Amino acid sequence: GGHKVVLKYRVYPFLIRFFICLLLNEDPNVQGLALDLPESLYSSKVLNAVKPEKDVDGLSDVNLGRLVRGDAYDCLVPPTVCAVMELLEDLGGKKVLLVGASGAVGAALQCMLQREGATTLSCRWKAPELQTKLNHADVVIVGSTKPDDVPVSWIKPGTTIISCSRDLVSGKSLCHRSYFNILLRSFEISNMVKNIERWIQSQQYRKWDLRCLKLQLLSPVPSDIEISRAQSPKAVDVLAKEIGLLTDEVEIYGQTKAKVRLSLLERLKDQPDGKYVLVAGITPTPLGEGKSTVTIGLVQALTAHLNINSFACLRQPSQGPTFGVKGGAAGGGYAQVIPMEEFNLHLTGDIHAITAANNLLAAAIDARILHENTQSDKALYNRLVPVVNGVRGFSAIQFARLRRLGISKTDPGTLTEEEINKFARLDIDPSTITWQRVVDTNDRFLRKITVGQANTEKGFVRQAQFDIAVASEIMAILALTTSLQDMKERLGKMVVANDKKGEPVTAEDLGVTGALAVLMKDAIKPTLMQTLEGTPVFVHAGPFANIAHGNSSVLADKIALKLVGEKGFVVTEAGFGADIGMEKFFNIKCRASGLVPSVVVLVATVRALKMHGGGPNVTAGAPLKKEYTEENLQLVADGCCNLQKQIQITQLFGVPVVVALNVFKTDSPAEIDLVCKIAKRSGAFDAVPCDHWSAGGRGAVKLAQAVERAANQKNGFKYLYSLELPVVEKIRIIAQKVYGAQDIELSPTAQSQVDRYTRQGFGNLPICMAKTHLSLSHQPERKGVPTGFILPISDVRASIGAGFIYPLVGTMSTMPGLPTRPCFYDIDLDPITEQVKGLF
């Protein structure tokens, strides 16, 4: 019935007992182990085979170490020692001799006796000085069977004798052995109860005991990788313990990364959530305005400087941009996730798992088309449902397909020819395939390819393409799923094509859902890392911010909200500007999670505001024009229209907004003051300049204080639209209320797709607009706040497993290309130190 038990077991022979002990160590239903062995078998190896946290006997090295240190809470006193101490009184100044009591029990006895003021001596039965020591002892404690050649006359009259061995010692004894056994068992039970109490307490929420790391600030600020490498991160198991994670909830990957198991959500299900903060931004320049840096600086300020529990939840970066143009995504300056090279390269393999799962499904699609085109119904059916060991049966996923087809039969031999045809043939229309292969590299020559050119594919050639791995729908599913079961259901719902009747074909129809879930079983667990100041970070999922929703995972947020406690903060980031990432966070991610945001932090820079005010173009890799490096109040004032619009967009959702002005060294005090005044006048709860890039968490303390105050404000969170509205109307609401468009215009292709999805039953899904992030409009060159434009919808597609429809505003590339001079020119490995160079 789910009750936790402590097992005391007696298994013979010894080897069986020993191996069962090792097995029970890993059994989550066993909270304690008490060994009952012959004295000759109580070796150190056996005693230490029991996990310290399950050591009811208190005889493991770890437990004895805690006892010697005086750590009363974390240790258990061995029952034998407890029984001896119960029988002895007023030990101050007395001489106590331990005979034949060596090993763990002897060490524990000496520790407890000395703590009570006794003088302790230890002696072997065969020692030549035994008679002298027995003659001077006030108390003799016998730990093993007395040899016959040791006479009782060696013990002086009046000596108290306690036997801890299985045999009684002749002569005067304080008690009968049966009474000692009763005491022994009672203390053993007491230890069992204490172990259960300790386990129950460990399952409850625990206050953090976080040791933050000190920063050694330098000026000028070194490169990101130099800063990262100069800091010594805490071992990740230490960090996990500091924030209340249990040992069996953490899977260690090296020294600085760990996966966190979802079982934590069940353990802390009654724990109130902390405050939920979203970091968004104004419409950015191509250089980015530092949302990740603000996110990390904010949590460093909250935890390391204000002593408030906080967690950052970030997306995992794609390796495409890391080696292409953008570089890494670990933050920057003195507000980073460390080690930054591990953050940016591979991490714990989640993107590789997504790539494997995505491409397995792609392979299944083409293989199924080939096999259906080259086999009769009977041959196809016989191969899909083969005879194995003389028995023919449907697999679990095939039973699910039979149910969807309305076929209730369970015996493969009873299907009619018509039923066999329906079951065996998916009849995929190759022209409708939307599922593409993926790779986590910027490779422009994979934007259009031809597959099936080998002779073995018998002429079934078709045009296809590769997307970058983070554009896979499986990545979006990972970011939105709420459990392993939910992920499996979402994977099965993914629509990969239509059949020749226009009906959707899913991953479930292809029979691959279970295999995809197996490939993703570890990727679903968030990865724990840390900031430069030793505060915790979850890195999990990294969906595209245009054709997907551009947010880190729901699961990371949910786990972090439990861990920080009711007064703590979880800070997460939305991709691109507030008009894209924030809108999708509210309308898609919050619907999936059921979580309600407390505050929005809107990141702005003087540089971006000058661009929106009419400044010259900003180009990645090119030096900034003088307008951006010299004071120009008029440009700043004119560009604040974009900031005001983004504040208004936030207010549509009823959430308080704090503007964080990410300060650069070229910003003048007058420019900074002007932006903050305009932001407050435009409805922001507060506007705060931040210099966390150069000062770490200390540079974001005022922002953290403003966020804390804003989180206590009245929150009227609401979604922008009802899911029951028609697809076109939901698109129109976003275009008009968020982007400022006059109206929308759907191409015939887009309208046809909307009609198809509505007919197929997908009309009630939320909308995920795929639009340029460089303008509120569909035209990247239009800065500030464009008005009066008609938003063109060129196509409409769907990610049914992820749970949204995504209209394409213009042409969207899902495979970036490499520039003339990619980042990889500067990336290198030192073969002596194995250190990575050139990441930024």
Side-chain angles (χ1 to χ4, degrees):
H3 295 290
K4 304 299 181 185
V5 296
V6 176
L7 294 185
K8 178 181 183 302
Y9 62 93
R10 299 169 182 262
V11 181
Y12 193 83
F14 159 67
L15 283 176
I16 297 177
R17 180 187 294 110
F18 180 64
F19 285 116
I20 286 183
C21 168
L22 293 178
L23 291 172
L24 294 177
N25 271 337
E26 306 306 323
D27 188 340
N29 295 314
V30 176
Q31 310 312 329
L33 296 173
L35 301 178
D36 191 358
L37 307 174
E39 288 173 4
S40 60
L41 296 179
Y42 274 105
S43 67
S44 176
K45 186 174 182 180
V46 171
L47 296 176
N48 287 298
V50 181
K51 274 189 174 180
E53 60 267 28
K54 297 189 178 186
D55 178 20
V56 170
D57 296 314
L59 296 174
S60 67
D61 289 348
V62 172
N63 194 75
L64 288 174
R66 291 168 179 166
L67 179 64
V68 171
R69 287 200 312 268
D71 194 342
Y73 175 78
D74 273 343
C75 78
L76 290 175
V77 180
T80 301
V81 177
C82 290
V84 170
M85 299 305 294
E86 178 73 13
L87 294 171
L88 296 175
E89 297 176 354
D90 192 21
L91 286 170
K94 290 185 177 180
K95 294 179 181 179
V96 180
L97 177 64
L98 278 64
V99 185
S102 59
V105 173
L109 274 168
Q110 289 201 50
C111 176
M112 296 299 292
L113 289 165
Q114 289 169 7
R115 200 170 289 172
E116 294 297 319
T119 301
T120 62
L121 298 170
S122 182
C123 194
R124 294 178 291 107
W125 285 114
K126 299 295 185 181
E129 67 273 18
L130 175 61
Q131 181 175 359
T132 303
K133 289 185 177 181
L134 284 171
N135 197 39
H136 289 87
D138 300 310
V139 178
V140 175
I141 299 175
V142 178
S144 59
T145 306
K146 179 185 78 64
D148 293 336
D149 59 353
V150 177
V152 176
S153 60
W154 286 5
I155 303 174
K156 72 177 182 181
T159 300
T160 299
I161 305 168
I162 300 177
S163 172
C164 304
S165 70
R166 295 180 177 275
D167 299 323
L168 291 175
V169 176
S170 302
K172 184 175 179 181
S173 178
L174 184 68
C175 63
H176 292 291
R177 180 69 197 184
S178 58
Y179 179 55
F180 186 84
N181 282 338
I182 292 171
L183 283 175
L184 187 65
R185 297 309 175 205
S186 68
F187 283 113
E188 190 174 81
I189 292 170
S190 175
N191 274 5
M192 290 179 179
V193 172
K194 185 176 180 181
N195 224 42
I196 292 177
E197 289 174 344
R198 222 161 46 175
W199 178 83
I200 291 172
Q201 289 173 359
S202 75
Q203 301 303 299
Q204 308 305 311
Y205 175 78
R206 283 185 284 173
K207 186 178 179 181
W208 288 13
D209 183 20
L210 194 70
R211 176 184 63 86
C212 294
L213 304 177
K214 300 296 182 183
L215 293 177
Q216 300 296 324
L217 301 177
L218 298 177
S219 183
V221 177
S223 70
D224 290 351
I225 198 162
E226 287 175 318
I227 294 171
S228 173
R229 194 159 288 147
Q231 183 64 288
S232 297
K234 291 179 282 190
V236 72
D237 58 331
V238 172
L239 174 64
K241 186 175 182 180
E242 288 177 342
I243 62 175
L245 287 166
L246 304 182
T247 303
D248 61 1
E249 291 171 342
V250 180
E251 298 173 2
I252 306 296
Y253 282 65
Q255 296 296 313
T256 56
K257 307 185 296 289
K259 286 285 193 182
V260 175
R261 293 176 178 167
L262 307 188
S263 57
L264 178 143
L265 287 171
E266 176 62 25
R267 175 170 69 87
L268 295 182
K269 63 183 179 182
D270 297 324
Q271 166 68 21
D273 288 346
K275 304 290 186 181
Y276 197 26
V277 180
L278 175 70
V279 175
I282 65 170
T283 304
T285 68
L287 306 178
E289 309 318 307
K291 294 191 304 296
S292 298
T293 311
V294 169
T295 300
I296 297 160
L298 176 54
V299 294
Q300 288 181 180
L302 284 164
T303 301
H305 298 270
L306 298 181
N307 199 30
I308 298 171
N309 291 356
S310 72
F311 234 110
C313 292
L314 300 177
R315 289 180 292 168
Q316 178 183 354
S318 165
Q319 287 178 185
T322 298
F323 290 100
V325 176
K326 186 175 180 292
Y334 288 103
Q336 291 188 55
V337 179
I338 57 171
M340 67 95 76
E341 59 265 44
E342 294 193 25
F343 177 91
N344 287 309
L345 302 174
H346 303 296
L347 199 62
T348 48
D350 294 356
I351 292 180
H352 301 315
I354 289 165
T355 301
N358 183 101
N359 293 345
L360 175 63
L361 180 53
I365 296 167
D366 287 318
R368 187 60 176 261
I369 293 172
L370 171 69
H371 294 312
E372 288 190 21
N373 285 338
T374 57
Q375 298 179 55
S376 66
D377 287 357
K378 183 178 180 181
L380 193 63
Y381 184 66
N382 287 342
R383 287 182 171 86
L384 288 171
V385 193
V387 177
V388 180
N389 296 326
V391 179
R392 192 179 194 190
F394 294 113
S395 67
I397 201 165
Q398 289 175 329
F399 275 122
R401 174 160 170 76
L402 288 168
R403 286 193 294 271
R404 289 195 304 278
L405 294 171
I407 301 172
S408 58
K409 297 175 182 178
T410 59
D411 182 354
T414 61
L415 267 65
T416 66
E417 289 186 4
E418 181 182 357
E419 290 169 337
I420 287 173
N421 176 272
K422 286 173 64 178
F423 173 82
R425 294 200 176 274
L426 299 180
D427 277 333
I428 295 171
D429 181 352
S431 68
T432 66
I433 294 173
T434 56
W435 195 263
Q436 310 297 346
R437 290 165 173 84
V438 299
V439 64
D440 197 30
T441 303
N442 289 6
D443 191 345
R444 63 175 68 246
F445 280 86
L446 293 178
R447 289 170 177 168
K448 181 176 282 190
I449 61 171
T450 303
V451 297
Q453 294 195 58
N455 293 334
T456 51
E457 278 35 86
K458 303 179 182 179
F460 295 108
V461 176
R462 68 179 183 89
Q463 281 197 343
Q465 69 184 57
F466 269 78
D467 295 337
I468 197 162
V470 293
S472 170
E473 184 178 349
I474 297 176
M475 176 63 90
I477 287 174
L478 179 67
L480 291 170
T481 193
T482 55
S483 67
L484 200 54
Q485 180 61 35
D486 177 61
M487 182 180 72
K488 189 174 177 182
E489 290 172 3
R490 287 174 179 268
L491 291 170
K493 291 177 183 177
M494 293 187 300
V495 174
V496 300
N498 290 322
D499 64 20
K500 291 172 183 175
K501 295 178 182 177
E503 295 302 315
V505 177
T506 66
E508 187 84 358
D509 290 321
L510 285 157
V512 74
T513 307
L516 299 181
V518 168
L519 288 170
M520 293 294 294
K521 72 180 180 64
D522 292 317
I524 196 173
K525 304 164 192 171
T527 298
L528 176 66
M529 294 188 75
Q530 63 193 284
T531 68
L532 278 166
E533 298 192 52
T535 66
V537 178
F538 273 141
V539 186
H540 199 216
F544 248 32
N546 46 32
I547 67 164
H549 61 294
N551 290 271
S552 61
S553 79
V554 166
L555 280 170
D557 292 354
K558 282 178 170 282
I559 292 173
L561 285 164
K562 295 298 183 187
L563 286 171
V564 297
E566 192 170 7
K567 295 182 180 179
F569 285 80
V570 171
V571 184
T572 189
E573 174 197 347
F576 295 157
D579 56 306
I580 298 180
M582 184 191 72
E583 181 271 317
K584 295 175 182 179
F585 174 87
F586 288 142
N587 284 319
I588 298 175
K589 185 176 180 179
C590 288
R591 287 187 201 267
S593 68
L595 299 173
V596 176
S598 309
V599 184
V600 169
V601 173
L602 191 63
V603 178
T605 62
V606 168
R607 178 182 67 194
L609 293 172
K610 286 180 175 179
M611 179 190 71
H612 288 297
N617 287 338
V618 176
T619 306
L624 289 171
K625 302 289 176 56
K626 64 180 179 64
E627 287 85 351
Y628 296 105
T629 58
E630 298 174 1
E631 184 179 283
N632 191 323
L633 295 176
Q634 188 59 54
L635 273 183
V636 173
D638 292 346
C640 277
C641 61
N642 188 271
L643 173 61
Q644 291 171 307
K645 173 63 175 175
Q646 303 285 10
I647 292 172
Q648 292 167 11
I649 294 170
T650 308
Q651 292 172 332
L652 290 173
F653 297 92
V655 181
V657 57
V658 174
V659 171
L661 183 63
N662 193 14
V663 175
F664 294 171
K665 62 182 180 182
T666 54
D667 300 343
S668 73
E671 289 173 331
I672 293 169
D673 187 56
L674 177 62
V675 174
C676 291
K677 284 181 179 177
I678 292 175
K680 292 176 187 176
R681 200 164 58 231
S682 302
F685 174 81
D686 203 350
V688 184
C690 310
D691 60 353
H692 45 274
W693 182 81
S694 59
R698 189 183 67 196
V701 167
K702 289 183 179 179
L703 173 63
Q705 292 169 333
V707 167
E708 187 180 15
R709 293 194 305 271
N712 293 321
Q713 299 298 300
K714 183 179 178 181
N715 189 325
F717 174 66
K718 57 187 176 183
Y719 299 120
L720 186 64
Y721 53 79
S722 166
L723 293 180
E724 307 304 316
L725 291 173
V727 171
V728 173
E729 186 58 29
K730 287 183 281 195
I731 297 172
R732 181 176 284 110
I733 288 172
I734 295 171
Q736 293 179 334
K737 292 190 175 182
V738 177
Y739 306 151
Q742 181 180 326
D743 204 351
I744 61 173
E745 183 177 54
L746 274 70
S747 71
T749 299
Q751 186 62 60
S752 173
Q753 287 291 80
V754 168
D755 294 342
R756 171 177 286 174
Y757 292 138
T758 302
R759 177 177 56 81
Q760 291 176 341
F762 304 136
N764 288 344
L765 294 176
I767 303 300
C768 182
M769 299 291 285
K771 180 187 78 70
T772 178
H773 62 290
L774 297 174
S775 172
L776 284 163
S777 75
H778 58 289
Q779 298 166 301
E781 68 277 5
R782 296 188 68 178
K783 307 302 181 183
V785 183
T787 57
F789 60 93
I790 304 297
L791 193 73
I793 310 299
S794 60
D795 199 358
V796 176
R797 299 175 188 170
S799 292
I800 304 304
F804 53 73
I805 289 173
Y806 60 99
L808 300 181
V809 181
T811 303
M812 277 294 131
S813 174
T814 51
M815 172 54 80
L818 290 173
T820 304
R821 193 186 190 283
C823 296
F824 62 63
Y825 274 90
D826 302 309
I827 296 173
D828 199 2
L829 181 70
D830 187 317
I832 306 300
T833 64
E834 298 185 11
Q835 288 190 335
V836 177
K837 302 176 181 179
L839 280 179
F840 68 95

